[in-house]
Amino acid sequence: MAIATLGAVVLDCPDPHALASFYAALLGGEPSSSPDEPDWVDLTGHPGTRLAFQEAPGHVPPPWPSATGAQQFHLDLAVPDLDAAEEQVLALGAKPLDTEDRSRSWRVYADPAGHPFCLCAG
C-alpha cells in the first residue's frame, strides 16, 4: 500500500505570478493566489497533477546540460505537434536548450525562470 499520493509539483522561482501565467498559457488553467500567501501561486483548472509556484529569492536555474551540476528535475509535456508547440512555447518566453536533433520525439526548453521541460510527441 502506498504511503502517500502526489499532491503537487512546486517550482521555486523569482516571480511565482509570472511563472504561473506561463504555465497557464502552456497547460491551461488559471493562476490562483491568496492575499495571505503572496509568495505562493497555484495553477488550477487544468488536467493532471497540480502545479504550484513558490517565490525563492536568489533562485538559480539548474544548468542544462551539465556534468558538474544537477538539473534537479524536469517536466515532460505531451503535445500532438512538436513544431507547433515549439513555436508557441518560444512565443511565451521559453528558451531552447536541446532542440537541434529534429529526428527525436522530444525537445528540451527552459521556462522563463530557467527550469528545464521537454515537449514530447504524443
Side-chain angles (χ1 to χ4, degrees):
M1 178 194 295
I3 295 171
T5 59
L6 181 61
V9 173
V10 182
L11 301 175
D12 287 353
C13 58
D15 184 342
H17 295 279
L19 197 57
S21 294
F22 171 84
Y23 279 100
L26 182 57
L27 300 172
E30 294 289 326
S32 174
S33 61
S34 163
D36 298 332
E37 294 183 280
D39 60 346
W40 184 278
V41 180
D42 285 305
L43 183 59
T44 61
H46 69 90
T49 301
R50 183 172 69 107
L51 283 177
F53 308 89
Q54 174 177 274
E55 184 176 354
H59 170 72
V60 176
W64 182 281
S66 173
T68 60
Q71 69 170 298
Q72 300 166 11
F73 76 96
H74 71 271
L75 301 173
D76 281 349
L77 307 174
V79 298
D81 181 325
L82 279 171
D83 292 330
E86 177 178 70
E87 183 178 325
Q88 293 171 312
V89 300
L90 294 175
L92 291 171
K95 304 281 187 266
L97 295 178
D98 185 359
T99 61
E100 294 79 26
D101 185 351
R102 306 307 253 190
S103 68
R104 293 186 310 215
S105 62
W106 50 272
R107 299 176 192 162
V108 186
Y109 306 85
D111 68 24
H115 304 104
F117 69 94
C118 295
L119 295 179
C120 304

